[in-house]
Amino acid sequence: MTRILAAALAALLAVNALAMLFASFWWYGAVPGVTATGAYNPHFVRDIGAAYLVTAGGLAWFAWRPVQGWPALVAAAAFLVLHAGIHVFDASCSANPLADVIRDLPGVYLPALLAAWLAVAKRPGH
């Protein structure tokens, strides 16, 4: 079940990454809340898309070969958790923090929580 979860999360994050890399302007306008973060910067969107693609690769590696891929899973989870932390900080500084947290729950916080849970639950030797 954990391998299926990792593979599904990898696929979703890969789709997001590819949209960021190859349809960055569309992605910028389509994802709720993104336009509130500042002016469109295609280089920045693609940079983050690259990070998401590597993250998806780490999750996919774990799904394919759990023991060998566990360190890649940890790196993927670390990026997602740090990214979620930035969103927590930004929400805490906004005019409507609860609305920001709710908006970001499915696309930011849930993937981070799932990846972190996978990394802890499936660590080698436990």
Side-chain angles (χ1 to χ4, degrees), residues 72-113:
L73 168 64
V74 171
F79 166 73
L80 292 171
V81 168
L82 289 170
H83 179 238
I86 292 166
H87 279 253
V88 168
F89 176 80
D90 288 349
S92 73
C93 297
S94 77
N96 197 344
L98 184 57
D100 288 355
V101 168
I102 291 168
R103 179 198 65 217
D104 292 343
L105 183 62
V108 177
Y109 302 121
L110 186 57
L113 290 169

Side-chain angles (χ1 to χ4, degrees), residues 17-116:
L18 292 172
M20 293 176 83
L21 289 167
F22 298 108
S24 61
F25 188 71
W26 172 84
W27 179 92
Y28 176 81
V31 177
V34 172
T35 57
T37 65
Y40 170 66
N41 181 332
H43 180 95
F44 187 64
V45 172
R46 289 183 190 113
D47 277 348
I48 298 168
Y52 266 104
L53 194 58
V54 171
T55 299
L59 283 155
W61 188 359
F62 171 79
W64 180 49
R65 299 265 194 237
V67 175
Q68 296 87 351
W70 184 80
L73 168 64
V74 171
F79 166 73
L80 292 171
V81 168
L82 289 170
H83 179 238
I86 292 166
H87 279 253
V88 168
F89 176 80
D90 288 349
S92 73
C93 297
S94 77
N96 197 344
L98 184 57
D100 288 355
V101 168
I102 291 168
R103 179 198 65 217
D104 292 343
L105 183 62
V108 177
Y109 302 121
L110 186 57
L113 290 169
L114 290 173

Side-chain angles (χ1 to χ4, degrees), residues 3-15:
R3 292 173 74 179
I4 293 169
L5 177 61
L9 191 53
L12 289 171
L13 294 177
V15 167

